[in-house]
Amino acid sequence: MKKRKIIVYIATSADGFIARRDGGVDWLDRPRTSGDYGMGAFFKTIDTILWGAKTYGVGLKMSAGNLSSYAPNIKNYVFTHHPPKSNPSGFEFINEPIERFAQRLRANPGKDIWMMGGGGIIASFLDAGEIDEFVIHVIPIFIGEGIPLIAPKNRNVRLKLLSVRGYPDGVIRLHYAVERQVPESQAAAKSGKVKSKVQTAKGAKKR
């Protein structure tokens, strides 16, 4: 069975922001290109969308409170510590560890999974080793300040460039695979085991 990939498919300004500080994305308003930067083709490859709570809130405002019509027949999961009492059609609110959720989601048959964002939930999945690819559309504009693609933290995550495509209007699409990272929890556990073995070996030598 083909492994379901979790893919960040997103646009950023040339200085690396996905939105203004207030969540505004007015700078994304531009004439549509043929194929809309490949969005239609990508949408056919997914059947699930992952949302951070803030991004979900912005989406509600942009859709006048009717996000269910945005992607019919798509399963949507919203990550929040404060889920509502009832779920809108097609949406489920999640408050559980990233690794457990991702493993459960990947275990179910289906298409790939679109990580919608924003920066906080992308960072959480990335740090848990649960992001497979990034497709980043770099828009030729500087907005000076805003919400970064990934919430800041000291990290080193290596990427493998899969493809680059330029569009006539100056947009560049970068497609990266994330080199498999060991989740922090597993790395800490492994480090603890190694230290324990070293200490045991040292103790044996002294005896």
Side-chain angles (χ1 to χ4, degrees):
M1 184 175 65
K2 175 180 174 290
K3 178 187 175 184
R4 302 177 73 188
K5 294 184 292 187
I6 298 178
I7 302 170
V8 177
Y9 191 94
I10 205 163
T12 72
S13 63
D15 44 355
F17 300 110
I18 58 175
R20 299 192 188 279
R21 284 188 174 181
D22 63 358
V25 290
D26 55 284
W27 49 276
L28 284 175
D29 293 335
R30 52 197 302 108
R32 286 181 174 270
T33 62
S34 176
D36 199 19
Y37 306 110
M39 182 64 201
F42 172 74
F43 209 78
K44 293 178 181 178
T45 69
I46 63 107
D47 60 9
T48 304
I49 301 177
L50 308 180
W51 305 72
K54 291 181 180 179
T55 301
Y56 172 72
V58 171
L60 278 180
K61 291 180 181 179
M62 294 178 65
S63 65
N66 187 24
L67 260 181
S68 298
S69 63
Y70 168 70
N73 304 317
I74 295 288
K75 180 63 178 179
N76 294 270
Y77 295 95
V78 182
F79 288 81
T80 176
H81 294 300
H82 306 286
K85 293 181 179 180
S86 61
N87 294 336
S89 176
F91 283 78
E92 183 177 339
F93 292 81
I94 303 297
N95 183 17
E96 69 174 290
I98 296 296
E99 293 169 48
R100 183 195 305 164
F101 169 82
Q103 290 169 8
R104 176 165 59 84
L105 185 61
R106 292 182 195 271
N108 295 324
K111 297 181 180 181
D112 288 335
I113 301 148
W114 178 12
M115 166 56 75
M116 173 78 74
I121 195 65
I122 292 174
S124 294
F125 269 75
L126 185 64
D127 293 338
E130 296 294 350
I131 296 290
D132 297 290
E133 296 179 7
F134 282 84
V135 180
I136 305 170
H137 298 80
V138 182
I139 310 300
I141 186 173
F142 293 126
I143 64 174
E145 59 181 8
I147 300 171
L149 170 61
I150 302 170
K153 179 183 177 181
N154 184 18
R155 58 171 67 86
N156 287 292
V157 179
R158 296 185 179 276
L159 305 174
K160 179 181 179 181
L161 182 63
L162 299 179
S163 67
V164 179
R165 178 175 177 179
Y167 292 87
D169 62 353
V171 172
I172 302 293
R173 185 174 73 184
L174 304 171
H175 187 182
Y176 292 103
V178 178
E179 293 191 358
R180 185 50 52 204
Q181 307 292 311
V182 177
E184 291 184 350
S185 58
Q186 293 182 20
K190 183 177 180 181
S191 176
K193 290 179 180 178
V194 170
K195 288 180 179 178
S196 178
K197 288 181 179 179
V198 170
Q199 290 170 352
T200 300
K202 287 181 178 179
K205 286 181 179 181
K206 288 179 180 180
R207 290 195 294 270

